[in-house]
Amino acid sequence: MLLDIKNLHVKYGNVEALHGIDVEVEEGEIVTLLGANGAGKTTTLNAISGLVNVTKGEIVFSGEALHKLPAHKVVTRKITQSPEGRRVFGVLTVQENLNLGAFTSKNKERVAKSLEWIYELFPRLAERRTQLAGTLSGGEQQMLAIGRALMSNPKLLLLDEPSLGLAPVLVNQIFKTVRQINQAGVTVMLVEQNARMALKLAHRGYVMEVGKIVMADSAQALLKNPDVLQAYLGGA
Ligand code: ATP
């Protein structure tokens, strides 16, 4: 087991957002979290990467308890998150943004290799390596955010809404690239509004409702599940 989340509770002030969830991710999988707005998907990712505090329960990654570590320590432990809303550094070039993603690595050769791989995954970024990130299109910024997350050579990539606000052709491209990233050996946890595409890409999925996991199954089974069809896939 690469990631083992047990009875995870998270509170914002006095309000509990996660009421004890269990999630397991095997090495090499793509696992998707589905659920309506406010169900707690982003909170789950943020808890894994140490951006919000765990009030109860545990998060174990590669046999190590993460829930007691601050976010900057989690990064060096091979988990990176590409946040919702992209958040690239607009006044820096594409290449400078990517280099920032490797700030934890002192191995120059490895950093150069990652950069080469990312430019292979996203040829559009290669063409625009000296362009200021703030002038990229939304889709290109999304690619850059994912590329930057990959620069630290993660074992687990957390993706929050990678298709948000993108034109359908770019959504297809991003999903294809996520599959390539996974085939290169990176385990992926994916939060997506586009449930159908997420389930087609993922091996397994979890369905969240108001801070709880209400369903867990193979992606194929979830795609055929009548409740999932009704609630998240726009009916049959
Ligand atoms: P969405 O798809 O809308 O992003 P989500 O499933 O990712 O939804 P979360 O963002 O994890 O849901 O939010 C879960 C609950 O926690 C919501 O009720 C939300 O209002 C609340 N919440 C999230 N972040 C904070 C915060 N920083 N302070 C207070 N409450 C928060």
Side-chain angles (χ1 to χ4, degrees), residues 203-218:
H203 302 102
R204 288 189 305 115
Y206 289 84
V207 179
M208 296 188 73
E209 272 173 26
V210 284
K212 286 193 173 150
I213 303 281
V214 293
M215 242 184 278
D217 213 333
S218 74

Side-chain angles (χ1 to χ4, degrees), residues 82-152:
S82 181
E84 186 179 8
R86 304 187 259 276
R87 286 186 231 161
V88 296
F89 296 101
V91 297
L92 300 182
T93 66
V94 165
Q95 181 124 348
E96 285 165 343
N97 268 277
L98 290 174
N99 283 332
L100 278 178
F103 74 99
T104 59
S105 175
K106 293 183 184 72
N107 182 342
K108 282 203 174 126
E109 207 174 303
R110 217 202 37 63
V111 172
K113 263 207 166 129
S114 301
L115 198 58
E116 203 180 307
W117 179 49
I118 287 154
Y119 284 147
E120 257 171 55
L121 285 172
F122 300 108
R124 250 201 230 222
L125 293 183
E127 289 161 17
R128 289 167 171 75
R129 63 182 83 195
T130 59
Q131 191 173 325
L132 293 184
T135 65
L136 296 174
S137 73
E140 290 159 359
Q141 288 190 20
Q142 182 57 46
M143 292 173 196
L144 181 55
I146 297 173
R148 192 178 56 191
L150 289 173
M151 281 296 287
S152 65

Side-chain angles (χ1 to χ4, degrees), residues 1 3-10 18-25 44 47-48 54-61 63 65-67 206 213:
M1 190 81 60
L3 180 73
D4 192 3
I5 299 177
K6 283 202 186 92
N7 191 30
L8 176 66
H9 292 252
V10 170
L18 296 182
H19 312 298
I21 65 163
D22 297 294
V23 175
E24 294 174 354
V25 181
T44 304
I48 297 166
V54 170
T55 35
K56 200 175 151 195
E58 52 185 61
I59 303 174
V60 177
F61 176 74
L66 285 188
H67 48 283
Y206 289 84
I213 303 281

Side-chain angles (χ1 to χ4, degrees), residues 12 17 35-44 84 161 191 193:
Y12 294 111
N37 285 334
K41 307 177 299 291
T42 299
T43 300
T44 304
E84 186 179 8
E161 305 272 4
V191 165
Q193 287 293 325

